Every structure is written in structure tokens, then in C-alpha cells.
Amino acid sequence: MNLILLGAPGAGKGTQAAILAKELSIPTISTGNILRAAVASGSELGKQAKACMESGALVSDEIIIGIIRDRLAEPDCAKGYILDGVPRTIGQAEAMEENGIKFDYVVSMEVSDETIMERMGGRRVCPKCGATYHVVAVPPKRDGICDECGSELITRKDDAPETVKSRLAVYHKETEPLKEFYRSRGVLVPVEDQGSVEATSAAILKLLKE
């Protein structure tokens, strides 16, 4: 099963991807992680990405999609994967199709802007291992301390109210049109926010197994 999760920043894509990966026994492929891995590996695409990053330019869609294509060809993706962080635009989605990257389901996580503003104000991240928490929805066992590695949790600059508003505006303009793109291909699965991580996971899994 090949999946992507669509949704505004703070909709819970990362949290749900981790749960679904475990339930479905398929890997989550994070664009950021594979980009860093490609740079570290010194591959041809990695070198091109590194040159872009060092010059301050955005890494082109062509390079990103080439790196994704190489990663999805690895053995652990043979039974499926969850792609996290791409596509973000119609252009990327079209380029992925041209490269033979298609999806069985595109899960659209429907969460209101108001709810996202509330959520992201309570989000905490581990700067060391990347684990994500929320002071209400998914609190760490010890206040302010990562369950995984014991580091002190931080609030990311991305989660500041003005930054969140700006990121939501970009999402509505650039990424939300992907819903119609994938609806026209018959693979869009909208899932309304269920009020808790567990209930939302159950709703997604129910729709995927129908």
C-alpha cells in the first residue's frame, strides 16, 4: 500500500504516519531525512542537492523527486510506504506521476485552522531525536523531558502564532489544491479530525481497509 498524508501544518501527519507505519508494517519515508541521507552518501543527486543548499537556493523538484525515486526502489519499500513531506504542489505531484510514483490512497486530514492554532501552541519537540509531543494530546511521561532520549523538549520557532498563520496561508494556496488533483484520480480519502490521536488513527485504518 503506497500512501501519502495531506493536511495543514499541525494536522498530525507525522504522528499518524508513525502509527500507520507500525500498523501496516511499511516504512515512513521523510523527504527531509532522505535528502540529508543523500547528501551524506555523496551520490550524484546528493552532490547536486548539497550544492543547492550551500548556495542558499531551494533544492529543485527534479533533484528531490530523483532522490525519492531512488529511495522508493530500496527493498524495504517493496510492500509499500508512507511518503511524508512531498508533494507540496501540483507541479511536484505531476512530476512524481511522470516518474512512475503513484499512490493507492491519499489521506486528507481535515482539521480547522482554529484547532491547528491551538494544537501548535502546545507542541513540543525533542531537538536531539526529533520525537514530537503535545502538552495536552500526547504529553511526555515527565513534563518537558523526551521519553525516547531524556533530552529537554523545546518549542519550535515554526510553532509561534504568527509563523503558524503564515504557514497555513501557504498551505491553503499551494498544497490544498492537491486534494482536488487526487480526488480526480479517485484516490483521495478525507478523514475528519476525531478529537484524539487514537480515534483519528482508527478512522484512517477503517477507511484504508474498506
Side-chain angles (χ1 to χ4, degrees):
M1 189 183 288
N2 301 341
L3 297 176
I4 49 175
L5 301 183
L6 280 184
K13 298 185 295 297
T15 300
Q16 293 301 335
I19 293 167
L20 293 173
K22 203 171 179 180
E23 287 285 335
L24 301 170
S25 301
I26 54 177
T28 296
I29 309 300
S30 158
T31 313
N33 289 348
I34 61 171
L35 196 54
R36 285 187 286 275
V39 169
S41 75
S43 68
E44 189 52 45
L45 284 167
K47 286 175 187 170
Q48 291 174 32
K50 186 180 182 185
C52 289
M53 289 152 77
E54 285 179 347
S55 69
L58 286 173
V59 179
S60 72
D61 287 353
E62 188 181 356
I63 293 171
I64 287 174
I65 288 158
I67 289 170
I68 289 167
R69 191 183 58 229
D70 289 353
R71 176 65 184 87
L72 299 184
E74 291 183 20
D76 65 333
C77 293
K79 292 182 180 176
Y81 52 81
I82 301 167
L83 196 54
D84 176 21
V86 77
R88 291 182 187 272
T89 63
I90 298 284
Q92 285 182 347
E94 289 173 340
M96 289 173 84
E97 283 192 349
E98 286 163 13
N99 278 271
I101 302 169
K102 295 187 179 178
F103 305 100
D104 300 306
Y105 296 101
V106 174
V107 176
S108 175
M109 299 178 62
E110 306 291 334
V111 186
S112 72
D113 286 6
E114 293 75 19
T115 300
I116 282 170
M117 293 294 293
E118 287 171 18
R119 275 188 191 175
M120 292 180 83
R123 188 155 70 172
R124 301 292 180 269
V125 179
C126 177
K128 207 165 194 178
C129 73
T132 305
Y133 302 89
H134 190 279
V135 292
V136 177
V138 193
K141 289 170 186 166
R142 288 168 58 209
D143 189 34
I145 302 296
C146 177
D147 294 348
E148 303 296 326
C149 69
S151 298
E152 195 169 335
L153 301 175
I154 61 166
T155 302
R156 297 191 316 174
K157 287 180 183 173
D158 275 1
D159 294 337
E162 288 311 309
T163 309
V164 174
K165 283 181 189 171
S166 173
R167 291 175 71 201
L168 283 169
V170 170
Y171 166 77
H172 291 308
K173 182 182 175 187
E174 295 184 1
T175 305
E176 199 163 30
L178 284 168
K179 291 200 289 191
E180 196 49 51
F181 179 89
Y182 286 116
R183 185 178 284 116
S184 71
R185 281 149 177 77
V187 294
L188 189 77
V189 181
V191 177
E192 294 294 331
D193 179 39
Q194 302 295 309
S196 76
V197 169
E198 295 78 12
T200 301
S201 301
I204 294 171
L205 286 163
K206 183 171 182 285
L207 286 165
L208 295 180
K209 289 173 180 178
E210 281 180 354

